[in-house]
């Protein structure tokens, strides 16, 4: 009798272990799908009620508002931040969401707005961004949510321009912010001769933009000795061809009606941030001005730069680069965090040098 009981208990234990292993394997295999599904708002965008719109006349609607540093230049900088809101309840993140705000202040602004601090006063609006989930799916709902964010960006830009009616301007955006900025430049800057005359440069960091959709009035920067042009790229590790193919296959770009459509084999814009040009040659690490992890730094604190670490080349529309073996550049954070813009900047020093060079050139051509 006791042997029968023992056998039964053993059987139950074996079944339990088997079920545990089965669940563990399933979670390991489908973990990404499970986590992604948890970010889905589960409501059609057409029936979704977005969060309240920000009022850009109020300082609370700006993550940075004319933020200054002691040694800054004469430019006014308009910066659009990358994705910080994961998703779940909303297609578009509420302005000031606690977790998103932490990522914005600790990671995005130091690493991506920081390179522009020495060029001039930096302003960065908060906006109802498309959630991280909208960037993990090609569903029409997600495309509409990403396009919805543009109205906030346009409103913030109008308010910012009214505050800065004269002088040189620099426009910059990272990831989602750069995607929205590319449309803003084409629709609001390219056709405005007065704004174009003030434009030092546009920076689209980690953005895929269709090269043939750029306005001839605001073209790609062919060389560093040029102003009023666009420096833009999407970076992929040199040894990760799979990631490169996925980026191109999943890329969405703006059409003439303000919709996000498939890239569909068109060539993306690629300006090498180390050389500041569209030249497809390999730019060696000896010319690279500095990678850094500025996460956690207060505004105005310039991070230590590690130069001569990155070799980069524009190839097939993407910026292919080596991965420096530096501890502070290792992937960290949650599953969602690792799918946002990198929490470090491979080209911090190069962006900083590029914008200062173009600003100096603009100032020479436009003496006070």
């Amino acid at each position: 009798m006791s042997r029968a009981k023992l056998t039964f208990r053993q059987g139950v234990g074996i079944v339990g272990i088997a079920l545990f292993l089965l669940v563990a394997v399933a979670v390991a295999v489908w973990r990404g799908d499970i986590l992604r599904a948890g970010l889905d708002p589960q409501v059609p965008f057409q029936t979704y009620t977005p969060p309240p719109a920000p009022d850009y006349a109020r300082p609370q609607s700006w993550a940075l508002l004319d933020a200054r540093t002691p040694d800054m230049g004469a430019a006014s900088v308009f910066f659009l931040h990358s994705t910080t809101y994961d998703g779940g309840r909303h297609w578009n993140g509420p302005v000031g969401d606690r977790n998103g705000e932490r990522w914005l202040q600790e990671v995005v602004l130091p690493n991506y707005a920081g390179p522009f601090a020495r060029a001039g006063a930096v302003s960065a609006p908060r906006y109802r961004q498309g959630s991280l989930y909208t960037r993990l799916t090609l569903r029409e709902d997600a495309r509409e949510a990403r396009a919805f964010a543009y109205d906030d960006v346009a409103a913030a830009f109008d308010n910012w321009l009214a505050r800065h009616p004269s002088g040189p301007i620099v426009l910059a955006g990272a990831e989602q912010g750069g995607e929205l900025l590319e449309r803003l430049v084409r629709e609001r800057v390219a056709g405005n001769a007065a704004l174009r005359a003030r434009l030092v440069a546009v920076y689209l960091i980690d953005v895929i933009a269709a090269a043939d959709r750029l306005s001839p009035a605001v073209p790609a920067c062919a060389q560093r000795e040029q102003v009023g042009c666009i420096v833009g790229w999407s970076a992929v590790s040199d040894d990760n061809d799979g990631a490169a193919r996925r980026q191109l296959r999943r890329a969405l770009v703006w059409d003439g009606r303000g919709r996000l459509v498939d890239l569909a084999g068109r060539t993306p814009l690629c300006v090498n941030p180390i050389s500041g040009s569209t030249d497809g040659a390999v730019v060696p690490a000896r010319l690279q001005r500095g990678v850094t992890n500025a996460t956690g730094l207060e505004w105005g604190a310039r991070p230590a730069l590690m130069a001569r670490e990155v070799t980069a080349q524009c190839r097939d529309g993407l910026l292919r680069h080596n991965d420096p073996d530096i501890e502070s550049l290792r992937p960290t954070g949650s599953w969602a965090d690792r799918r946002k813009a990198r929490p470090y900047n491979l080209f911090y020093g190069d962006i900083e040098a590029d914008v200062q060079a173009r600003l100096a050139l603009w100032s020479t051509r436009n003496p006070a």
Side-chain angles (χ1 to χ4, degrees):
M1 186 74 173
S2 60
R3 181 178 296 176
K5 287 184 177 180
L6 183 62
T7 302
F8 175 75
R9 288 172 182 169
Q10 288 176 330
V12 171
I14 291 171
V15 170
I17 291 171
L19 287 173
F20 174 79
L21 292 174
L22 183 63
V23 170
V25 170
V27 169
V29 173
W30 292 297
R31 181 170 180 267
D33 292 334
I34 294 169
L35 293 172
R36 185 183 294 108
L39 302 180
D40 186 346
Q42 302 291 338
V43 60
F45 185 79
Q46 291 82 355
T47 62
Y48 164 69
T49 300
D55 178 0
Y56 292 111
R58 303 180 62 195
Q60 297 92 325
S61 296
W62 298 83
L64 295 172
L65 186 57
D66 291 332
R68 302 172 183 274
T69 58
D71 57 348
M72 71 179 190
S76 298
V77 182
F78 182 76
F79 176 82
L80 293 174
H81 68 76
S82 59
T83 305
T84 64
Y85 174 70
D86 293 351
R89 179 182 175 187
H90 289 284
W91 282 107
N92 292 83
V95 170
D97 170 75
R98 185 178 63 181
N99 291 332
E101 188 68 16
R102 177 190 60 80
W103 189 262
L104 173 62
Q105 296 292 341
E106 294 182 6
V107 177
V108 178
L109 296 180
N111 283 296
Y112 293 100
F116 301 97
R118 299 177 75 186
V122 181
S123 297
R126 297 180 170 97
Y127 62 96
R128 289 172 295 176
Q129 62 187 277
S131 69
L132 176 64
Y133 177 75
T134 68
R135 309 190 71 80
L136 302 177
T137 176
L138 297 177
R139 289 170 51 188
E140 190 61 33
D141 288 320
R143 300 184 193 213
E144 292 182 21
R146 286 165 64 174
F148 174 85
Y150 177 76
D151 287 343
D152 282 1
V153 166
F157 185 64
D158 287 342
N159 180 280
W160 178 78
L161 280 178
R163 294 171 183 264
H164 304 89
S166 61
I169 59 174
V170 173
L171 309 179
E175 192 239 18
Q176 176 173 180
E179 175 183 279
L180 294 163
L181 181 61
E182 189 269 323
R183 178 180 170 187
L184 185 76
V185 169
R186 189 152 29 85
E187 295 187 3
R188 306 293 288 276
V189 179
N192 186 323
L195 276 184
R196 291 201 314 273
R198 298 174 58 194
L199 183 62
V200 174
V202 178
Y203 293 85
L204 307 179
I205 304 169
D206 287 327
V207 176
I208 289 184
D212 64 358
R213 285 292 298 158
L214 301 183
S215 168
V218 188
C221 293
Q223 57 186 349
R224 183 150 284 151
E225 296 73 27
Q226 186 178 354
V227 297
C229 55
I230 298 175
V231 179
W233 69 90
S234 181
V236 183
S237 298
D238 196 45
D239 61 355
N240 199 339
D241 290 338
R245 287 191 294 270
R246 285 193 298 274
Q247 272 208 30
L248 295 175
R249 185 175 65 248
R250 297 179 59 82
L252 298 177
V253 296
W254 299 105
D255 70 3
R257 297 170 60 187
R259 301 175 303 180
L260 285 165
V261 298
D262 296 344
L263 182 65
R266 296 152 81 181
T267 302
L269 165 71
C270 186
V271 177
N272 194 317
I274 302 177
S275 64
S277 77
T278 52
D279 191 326
V282 175
V283 181
R286 62 182 174 80
L287 299 178
Q288 194 252 347
R289 292 170 178 81
V291 57
T292 195
N293 184 332
T295 297
L297 288 185
E298 294 183 359
W299 184 258
R302 190 165 181 258
L305 301 179
M306 293 165 279
R308 302 182 174 222
E309 294 285 350
V310 181
T311 296
Q313 177 188 23
C314 284
R315 191 166 77 239
D316 299 325
L318 297 175
L319 186 70
R320 307 301 295 269
H321 63 84
N322 67 300
D323 286 314
D325 186 17
I326 299 173
E327 182 66 29
S328 62
L329 306 187
R330 304 273 167 82
T332 60
S334 67
W335 178 91
D337 290 345
R338 291 196 299 273
R339 280 150 183 83
K340 298 171 187 169
R342 305 180 210 200
Y344 54 84
N345 193 332
L346 289 175
F347 305 103
Y348 188 109
D350 305 284
I351 298 168
E352 186 179 63
D354 188 279
V355 67
Q356 289 186 60
R358 296 186 198 277
L359 177 58
L361 180 60
W362 186 95
S363 299
T364 298
R365 295 178 178 178
N366 298 271

